[in-house]
Amino acid sequence: MSSKTSSSPKVYSRADLQLSVGDIEYFLIQNEEVNFLQAVPRNKERPVLVLVYGVAPGQSITKAALIDFRSTRLAHDDVFQPIFLGHLVFFGAEKDDVHIEADAQSELHSWGVTIQTFLSGRSAVRVPSGPYVIAEGKTWQPSQAGLDGKIIVPSRCYFNPGSVSRPLDGVRVSVKDSIDIKGHKTTLCNRAWMDLYPAREENATCVQALEDAGAVIVGKVKLQAMIMREEPLECVEFTAPFNPRGDGYQVPSGSSHASAASISSYEWLDLSLGSDTNGSCRKPASYNGCFSIRPSTGILNTKGVVEFFPEFDMPALFGSDISKFPDVISVWYGDSPLLRKPSKFSVKVLYPLEYLPTSNPGQSELLEKLVCGLESAVDTRRTEISLARLWKTDCPDGKEHENIEKYLGTAGIYPFYYDQYHNLADFRTKYEEKHGKPPFVHRSLHWQWDVAKTITRNERDECLPRCKVYRDWLLDKVFEVSSENSISVMVFPIESGQPNYRDAPIPPNSLLGGFNPLHMSPIMRAPEVTAPVGDIPYYSAVTNREERLPIAASIIGAPGTDLILSQLVAKGMKSAGLPTKVKTGRQVF
């Protein structure tokens, strides 16, 4: 470990070359292509910090260009510090081939530049502008040592996002540990699983798509063990992540909890990948106060994503800025034929009376704000709808099934539990063959397995047609997907908007009913965006003072409208006067 210094940089470990500058710890990453920078005069005893500024022969360096470089590149880089400005390297031309205008020299002086070096370099080598370190006769790119040295966070200066070939260049992404990363084990936060299965030989397809677009995978994040319910007090093998919102002791919620918590905790992180079956991304986004999208089922290749119920399972995306989602979706989904492109259409905003308004006035007020924003953004008025009454009128599966809640009771959960249990048979068998004992799994999963053992194949198979009847009815009668000139979206709350402490007594296990709104998008195979709409006050039992609890809305569209839906939510939030980007820490905005 390295110690801190107040100003002068110092290399403490020759094994991994860490550097401490003030309060920031760096990893130094050697780049062979820029080792010619060792020609810069250097201090043999201490590392030399330099800032590279790319130039070309015949270029005139203006004050405006320098100001633009600092405001658009350096100001947004969390690796750069002003101490790098002391030595400026103009790379790409000799001194006589570059003209620095007088006001530009004055600007550099105001920056504190005391040394200017010119290097022509090699035309075949591209050296990105940004901070560098010269030490031990080599040149290094400094990366922030995030999470006390556990994560390497590269400088944003080295990347140029937005290009056609690399539209996500330098975008930092964390990945749920149920999704394969080449060279690393996929652990599911379960020691038996980690023991049994080797490191993966290739990235999951959904990860590779981001890497191909230039994204940087900074690390993997936890999940609820075995992708199943695991409340903080149920965590036996790996501690649950901390939700940074409010008093810091609210549950992170859902199996993708760390994907959401990481977005709400670390400003240096841009995106996180998770997954969703029946709420695994939507609940964490709500509780941790960030944005997420559960994609349309089948719109993404799920190879390399651990799935126990492919009928519902999908990779999911978390982020801090909903306005960035359309660009990411366009890259992540690739040329999927299921993705509907934006075009001119009218929008119907569906307001389900079974779920809105809620019994929580503060929650309802914030949800109403978003609904009004959507109405204003697309110049429409909400359409109030009672799903139960409409179902009873239509009786799509006969008069004997006129009660929608009863009809859908176990329609989603029975097939999920049945398939999950039987798809894990190989895991249980191989582990016992290897160790002579069954694998450890937490008690809630044992409860689910016990339920699954009581479900017959016929019961499982009888439930799936009910899901299809419900899906077809929703698409035809509610979302009216046959219309080519309009789309419908529906707004939902996420649970009750009440404090839920991580040390609270473990709630009893129960079956999630098919009419629960968390089941609508999986059954309908539809996209769902979860968006924070603000926070409400509560008196914390932990801090003994008033804190703020995140409140989120979920918006569902027809299958394939993922891109349209993310754009619409961003417009609705802007129209409602809500920020489209959340902050990290205690409060969302």
Side-chain angles (χ1 to χ4, degrees):
M1 295 294 292
S2 62
S3 59
K4 304 287 184 181
T5 80
S6 59
S7 57
S8 299
K10 180 180 179 181
V11 172
Y12 290 92
S13 171
R14 292 178 180 271
D16 55 11
L17 279 183
Q18 284 182 254
L19 176 74
S20 179
V21 182
D23 293 330
I24 297 181
E25 294 285 339
Y26 294 108
F27 284 120
L28 300 184
I29 311 300
Q30 186 180 356
N31 188 325
E32 297 291 344
E33 291 187 336
V34 297
N35 270 349
F36 54 83
L37 283 178
Q38 63 184 284
V40 174
R42 59 189 183 277
N43 187 324
K44 293 184 178 180
E45 300 299 323
R46 288 188 175 275
V48 175
L49 308 185
V50 303
L51 180 68
V52 169
Y53 182 84
V55 294
Q59 181 177 339
S60 182
I61 300 173
T62 65
K63 178 181 179 180
L66 292 173
I67 292 175
D68 180 72
F69 172 65
R70 186 156 190 183
S71 62
T72 60
R73 300 294 290 275
L74 300 183
H76 299 287
D77 183 25
D78 44 17
V79 171
F80 167 79
Q81 290 189 69
I83 194 172
F84 284 93
L85 290 169
H87 190 153
L88 189 62
V89 176
F90 293 98
F91 174 76
E94 299 291 344
K95 183 175 182 178
D96 293 341
D97 295 328
V98 175
H99 173 66
I100 304 178
E101 296 184 359
D103 58 352
Q105 284 285 17
S106 298
E107 181 67 19
L108 293 175
H109 179 74
S110 71
W111 289 6
V113 175
T114 58
I115 301 174
Q116 296 180 15
T117 301
F118 293 80
L119 290 174
S120 58
R122 294 174 289 164
S123 58
V125 177
R126 174 186 171 273
V127 179
S129 298
Y132 290 81
V133 177
I134 300 167
E136 300 190 346
K138 301 174 184 177
T139 299
W140 312 79
Q141 291 178 320
S143 294
Q144 189 179 148
L147 297 181
D148 297 324
K150 298 181 179 70
I151 299 292
I152 296 176
V153 184
S155 169
R156 295 191 187 276
C157 287
Y158 307 143
F159 304 96
N160 292 292
S163 67
V164 174
S165 60
R166 295 175 66 83
L168 301 182
D169 200 29
V171 172
R172 302 159 178 173
V173 183
S174 64
V175 177
K176 182 178 180 177
D177 202 7
S178 61
I179 302 175
D180 290 349
I181 299 293
K182 182 179 180 180
H184 297 269
K185 288 193 173 188
T186 298
T187 74
L188 303 191
C189 274
N190 175 271
R191 294 171 66 198
W193 189 278
M194 184 166 51
D195 168 85
L196 193 59
Y197 299 107
R200 301 294 88 189
E201 295 183 354
E202 60 182 8
N203 287 335
T205 303
C206 64
V207 171
Q208 192 60 51
L210 296 178
E211 280 204 345
D212 290 344
V216 177
I217 308 302
V218 297
K220 300 191 93 174
V221 293
K222 294 178 181 178
L223 65 152
Q224 290 183 339
M226 301 299 290
I227 331 178
M228 297 296 155
R229 177 197 122 156
E230 186 185 44
E231 298 295 333
L233 289 185
E234 293 178 292
C235 295
V236 175
E237 297 185 306
F238 298 92
T239 306
F242 280 83
N243 179 347
R245 303 305 189 187
D247 55 27
Y249 284 87
Q250 298 300 300
V251 297
S253 187
S255 79
S256 297
H257 53 11
S259 298
S262 64
I263 290 293
S264 299
S265 298
Y266 309 123
E267 289 190 21
W268 46 261
L269 187 64
D270 300 314
L271 301 171
S272 189
L273 296 188
S275 64
D276 189 279
T277 303
N278 53 15
S280 301
C281 87
R282 292 161 283 157
K283 288 177 61 179
S286 176
Y287 277 79
N288 293 275
C290 66
F291 296 96
S292 75
I293 183 168
R294 176 200 160 90
S296 298
T297 305
I299 207 165
L300 281 168
N301 187 324
T302 60
K303 181 183 178 183
V305 180
V306 177
E307 297 177 298
F308 299 138
F309 187 48
E311 185 76 18
F312 284 4
D313 292 341
M314 280 299 292
L317 179 73
F318 295 84
S320 60
D321 190 344
I322 188 63
S323 69
K324 301 290 181 62
F325 272 42
D327 289 340
V328 178
I329 288 170
S330 296
V331 172
W332 198 34
Y333 288 25
D335 297 323
S336 175
L338 299 180
L339 184 62
R340 181 172 172 179
K341 303 298 182 183
S343 59
K344 290 185 177 181
F345 47 77
S346 61
V347 177
K348 181 184 287 188
V349 178
L350 301 176
Y351 188 88
L353 297 176
E354 282 82 6
Y355 310 113
L356 292 174
T358 73
S359 60
N360 183 333
Q363 179 187 36
S364 293
E365 182 179 344
L366 291 174
L367 294 171
E368 176 68 16
K369 191 171 185 179
L370 177 63
V371 173
C372 291
L374 290 169
E375 290 177 323
S376 175
V378 297
D379 192 23
T380 190
R381 294 293 299 167
R382 75 195 69 183
T383 299
E384 294 186 350
I385 181 173
S386 169
L387 295 170
R389 285 202 298 266
L390 183 59
W391 175 275
K392 187 174 182 179
T393 298
D394 293 342
C395 288
D397 201 19
K399 193 69 176 177
E400 67 274 23
H401 299 303
E402 66 178 11
N403 185 314
I404 189 173
E405 190 166 1
K406 183 178 179 181
Y407 179 79
L408 293 174
T410 57
I413 206 69
Y414 265 22
F416 169 39
Y417 279 15
Y418 182 94
D419 285 12
Q420 183 258 13
Y421 174 72
H422 290 283
N423 283 333
L424 280 167
D426 184 68
F427 162 63
R428 294 189 296 268
T429 300
K430 287 185 175 178
Y431 187 87
E432 188 150 9
E433 289 175 351
K434 180 178 180 181
H435 294 285
K437 61 181 180 179
F440 172 85
V441 297
H442 55 288
R443 294 186 182 187
S444 284
L445 184 52
H446 274 297
W447 178 85
Q448 292 181 30
W449 286 356
D450 288 342
V451 172
K453 293 172 189 176
T454 70
I455 303 170
T456 67
R457 179 73 190 198
N458 286 341
E459 287 176 317
R460 180 259 188 202
D461 292 345
E462 191 273 337
C463 285
L464 290 177
R466 291 182 182 235
C467 289
K468 186 178 186 305
V469 170
Y470 182 46
R471 174 169 64 250
D472 292 345
W473 176 77
L474 284 170
L475 295 176
D476 182 33
K477 299 294 185 179
V478 179
F479 286 84
E480 300 174 329
V481 296
S482 60
S483 173
E484 296 182 356
N485 300 314
S486 67
I487 66 166
S488 297
V489 299
M490 188 178 290
V491 182
F492 283 108
I494 297 288
E495 299 197 332
S496 60
Q498 300 291 339
N500 189 354
Y501 297 94
R502 64 185 288 127
D503 64 343
I506 298 172
N509 291 298
S510 60
L511 299 176
L512 183 69
F515 192 52
N516 188 295
L518 290 171
H519 260 140
M520 181 178 285
S521 59
I523 290 177
M524 202 169 83
R525 306 175 69 83
E528 183 171 349
V529 171
T530 301
V533 291
D535 45 34
I536 57 177
Y538 71 101
Y539 188 80
S540 169
V542 174
T543 62
N544 291 325
R545 67 183 185 188
E546 184 178 282
E547 303 284 0
R548 310 292 298 188
L549 189 74
I551 297 296
S554 260
I555 305 90
I556 297 177
T561 61
D562 307 48
L563 182 57
I564 296 169
L565 190 63
S566 64
Q567 292 174 330
L568 180 61
V569 172
K571 290 178 182 178
M573 295 193 70
K574 289 179 182 177
S575 185
L578 295 169
T580 58
K581 183 177 182 179
V582 298
K583 297 179 179 179
T584 57
R586 290 173 57 197
Q587 294 184 215
V588 292
F589 300 135

